[in-house]
Amino acid sequence: MHIVHVTAELTPVAKVGGLGDVVAGLSAQHQKMGHTVDIILPKYDCLRSDQIDDLTRIKTDLQVPWDHGMVTCSIWKGQVHGLSCLFIDPHSDVGFYHRQAIYGQVDDIQRFAFLSRASIEYLWQIKSQLDIIHCHDWPSALTPVFLFEIYQKLGMTKPRVCFTIHNFKHQGVTGRDILETTGLHRQDYFCQVNSLLDLHNPHVLNLTKGGIVFSNFVTTVSPRHAIEVIDENQGFGLEPVLQSHRSKFAGILNGVDYDFFNPATDPALVATYHADSLAGKQENKHALRERFSFEQSHKPLVAFIGRLDPQKGLELVEHALFTTLKQKAQFILLGSSLDPAINQHFKTLARQFSDSVNAHIEVGFDPQLSREIYAGSDFMVVPSKFEPCGLTQLIAMRYGSVPIVRETGGLADTVFDIDYSDKPISKRNGFSFKDFDETGLDSALQRALACYHDTPERYQNIVLNALRSDFSWNNPAQEYLDIYESIRT
Ligand code: ADP
């Protein structure tokens, strides 16, 4: 099968959160399984070009219809860790992708609507015989609208579209003028309740809603989250749309790229290790403590890694820090936010602990350090308010750091409490709590720390269960292929 992803993010060249990891991991697995995969993304000026091989301009004159005229684009081709990538590079004065940032610009809607239009225009012009276009979140949600409303009529009849919603919070809500700008000229047709019109505000359009309506299949990133967004009011207003498209909607758990995130080979670690030989994990813990001038002791080390976004349950993250210290354990936080006020709050907290030998707060984005923390920590706390899938707990388990999570979304689908799960004991791989409050968190955190101190053998068994869990892309990649196949026929 020939699959093309249209995406705003790709790890490691344009990574913001989990979306970039998913596109990279899923594509690599499909490629391994013998399918042809291309990934189309913007040629941001902040791309990590050191991670791109053989970057070559393959086209200089792609004419993309835009704003009643044409924008000329170059297309660049390169390989990112063995994946074939096409980069869109418009020659326009507005410099859509020359902002030293991936998101956060006032014209984000235009920037990514352009990505969708240019991607499909390119595929049409080269007469690509692709089978599946896989779009991700609101930035590429207009792609199926262009395909089925413009390009299919021009003869592009083969491709089908799978649309994955990684996060329902961000939906691409915008004014009607985006229709004229992108060449969707039939205002009356698109501004309908059963089309792009937002359900809650008749003056605006909702790009994610358009993606749901126009795609052949829609997924979100865990089975539990699929239920939450359709039936449990977590769809940020999209529940009725999902309900009426229920038959083409499913949750597929994200995987983790087990080749990249591998404690047996990871060059970021001071010592490698695996389930049958865990000594190296202790060396990583020792090195991590040295790096942050921590006391070397028998204390367990609890960590948090993630975007400092309210979604992640920041008040509980902070509470976890204080509970951990009260329980005579150690804590490391690595995170950053797009919101300067949140960064400032955590920087102030960092100063409070600057002399601590038991706590460290690192405000920043540092993939190498993140892997040192996954490897060096004993527990990873993920107390999210909502979590469509969550990769942090999956990577933590891959590195033998036991997750302590709130039972929501993908966290509930992947972490099985050692005391309360109905899974067989060999599948129980962490600690979880239900209610989003301090009492809930404390109950799980205190059970975890007590387990570490009082029953070390039991703790070791949980580490082994976590290390032996399989959250690779093997199963989810096959599930996506089954969906692709079902919409192709
Ligand atoms: P989300 O997509 O909501 O941000 P996920 O848990 O799905 O959350 O994915 C987060 C990914 O980003 C993980 O790979 C995590 O290790 C990484 N990550 C998050 N924050 C940081 C950071 N400050 N430094 C390095 N990596 C980070």
Side-chain angles (χ1 to χ4, degrees):
M1 224 183 289
H2 184 182
I3 304 147
V4 175
H5 291 265
V6 180
T7 177
E9 297 180 37
L10 175 68
T11 300
V13 288
K15 174 172 164 115
V16 179
L19 163 53
D21 291 352
V22 170
V23 177
L26 178 61
S27 301
Q29 186 64 30
H30 280 159
Q31 205 164 278
K32 251 194 229 165
M33 293 163 95
H35 301 282
T36 303
V37 183
D38 291 299
I39 300 164
I40 307 186
L41 71 160
K43 190 168 182 299
Y44 302 110
D45 57 355
C46 56
L47 278 178
R48 280 197 52 193
S49 49
D50 60 314
Q51 302 286 323
I52 310 174
D53 293 325
D54 305 327
L55 186 62
T56 319
R57 198 193 310 238
I58 57 167
K59 196 165 177 55
T60 53
D61 57 352
L62 177 74
Q63 299 293 316
V64 180
W66 191 254
D67 210 6
H68 298 279
M70 291 286 173
V71 171
T72 307
C73 287
S74 290
I75 304 291
W76 298 70
K77 193 172 170 53
Q79 299 276 320
V80 173
H81 293 224
L83 296 171
S84 159
C85 294
L86 296 158
F87 300 94
I88 307 277
D89 182 14
H91 311 172
S92 80
D93 294 339
V94 287
F96 274 156
Y97 310 131
H98 290 142
R99 310 288 177 82
Q100 286 297 319
I102 292 175
Y103 302 117
Q105 309 295 297
V106 286
D107 56 353
D108 274 359
I109 296 281
Q110 284 80 2
R111 295 169 70 227
F112 293 109
F114 187 82
L115 168 71
S116 297
R117 183 77 209 239
S119 301
I120 196 102
E121 178 70 29
Y122 174 69
L123 293 168
W124 178 65
Q125 286 199 18
I126 62 164
K127 301 192 169 45
S128 171
Q129 287 303 305
L130 83 166
D131 299 287
I132 296 293
I133 303 180
H134 196 149
C135 302
H136 301 270
D137 278 346
W138 72 264
S140 50
L142 278 178
T143 312
V145 187
F146 297 136
L147 174 66
F148 294 118
E149 292 298 329
I150 299 175
Y151 292 86
Q152 198 170 61
K153 295 175 180 129
L154 297 173
M156 200 174 180
T157 52
K158 193 174 172 201
R160 296 288 178 269
V161 179
C162 177
F163 176 46
T164 297
I165 305 173
H166 300 253
N167 194 328
F168 281 83
K169 190 173 168 191
H170 308 288
Q171 298 182 3
V173 173
T174 181
R176 293 174 180 218
D177 48 349
I178 195 68
L179 294 174
E180 280 300 306
T181 309
T182 56
L184 295 169
H185 296 305
R186 288 177 296 146
Q187 283 261 354
D188 290 349
Y189 173 71
F190 291 111
C191 297
Q192 300 276 341
V193 171
N194 62 1
S195 184
L196 286 159
L197 195 68
D198 190 82
L199 281 188
H200 308 281
N201 179 349
H203 304 293
V204 296
L205 305 180
N206 184 317
L207 303 192
T208 299
K209 176 170 175 258
I212 296 171
V213 171
F214 283 86
S215 295
N216 301 96
F217 206 90
V218 182
T219 66
T220 190
V221 289
S222 67
R224 172 67 75 98
H225 199 54
I227 296 168
E228 290 169 347
V229 295
I230 207 164
D231 291 327
E232 296 175 12
N233 290 324
Q234 284 201 42
F236 288 89
L238 287 173
E239 295 83 356
V241 190
L242 293 166
Q243 281 155 11
S244 57
H245 291 275
R246 197 183 269 273
S247 62
K248 62 169 191 183
F249 179 60
I252 298 184
L253 206 57
N254 284 337
V256 166
D257 183 340
Y258 270 26
D259 291 332
F260 182 75
F261 291 107
N262 185 354
T265 56
D266 191 336
L269 309 192
V270 292
T272 54
Y273 60 94
H274 51 81
D276 298 323
S277 165
L278 275 170
K281 185 157 174 69
Q282 278 310 311
E283 287 181 51
N284 283 287
K285 183 172 176 182
H286 192 273
L288 192 60
R289 282 169 155 167
E290 277 206 330
R291 176 176 177 147
F292 293 124
S293 310
F294 275 17
E295 163 194 346
Q296 299 282 358
S297 67
H298 185 61
K299 291 179 176 177
L301 183 48
V302 181
F304 169 86
I305 298 173
R307 287 182 299 118
L308 297 176
D309 184 284
Q311 171 199 336
K312 301 290 173 187
L314 298 181
E315 58 274 49
L316 293 189
V317 171
E318 211 171 311
H319 184 74
L321 159 71
F322 289 104
T323 300
T324 301
L325 294 177
K326 253 189 244 152
Q327 299 283 318
K328 308 254 176 292
Q330 298 178 322
F331 196 93
I332 294 179
L333 177 151
L334 169 63
S336 63
S337 173
L338 287 176
D339 179 345
I342 295 181
N343 278 337
Q344 195 47 53
H345 174 79
F346 280 91
K347 280 183 183 159
T348 307
L349 202 60
R351 274 200 295 279
Q352 196 178 321
F353 289 99
S354 57
D355 294 328
S356 170
V357 292
N358 289 307
H360 180 84
I361 291 165
E362 186 81 18
V363 179
F365 189 86
D366 188 340
Q368 154 107 14
L369 174 60
S370 78
R371 273 141 61 215
E372 290 170 34
I373 298 174
Y374 284 121
S377 58
D378 301 301
F379 295 101
M380 184 65 57
V381 66
V382 193
S384 304
K385 225 173 240 160
F386 70 94
E387 194 60 79
C389 176
L391 293 178
T392 311
Q393 84 281 12
L394 303 183
I395 303 171
M397 286 191 271
R398 178 71 170 149
Y399 284 78
S401 180
V402 173
I404 303 169
V405 307
R406 170 140 186 273
E407 208 183 299
T408 180
L411 298 170
D413 282 333
T414 55
V415 178
F416 310 116
D417 189 279
I418 186 68
D419 295 313
Y420 301 124
S421 168
D422 52 15
K423 295 269 177 202
I425 203 87
S426 63
K427 299 280 176 211
R428 299 188 197 173
N429 50 16
F431 295 84
S432 63
F433 62 98
K434 269 203 171 69
D435 294 335
F436 184 80
D437 57 30
E438 293 181 358
T439 314
L441 171 76
D442 280 346
S443 71
L445 185 52
Q446 285 166 2
R447 274 191 300 125
L449 296 174
C451 173
Y452 182 94
H453 280 301
D454 304 341
T455 51
E457 264 181 36
R458 191 165 180 252
Y459 170 74
Q460 276 307 311
N461 284 335
I462 308 173
V463 171
L464 290 176
N465 290 350
L467 280 165
R468 289 176 181 146
S469 312
D470 180 4
F471 294 109
S472 70
W473 273 106
N474 288 341
N475 295 330
Q478 185 56 52
E479 290 182 53
Y480 274 111
L481 286 179
D482 293 344
I483 286 173
Y484 297 165
E485 205 56 65
S486 75
I487 55 181
R488 215 157 64 112
T489 45

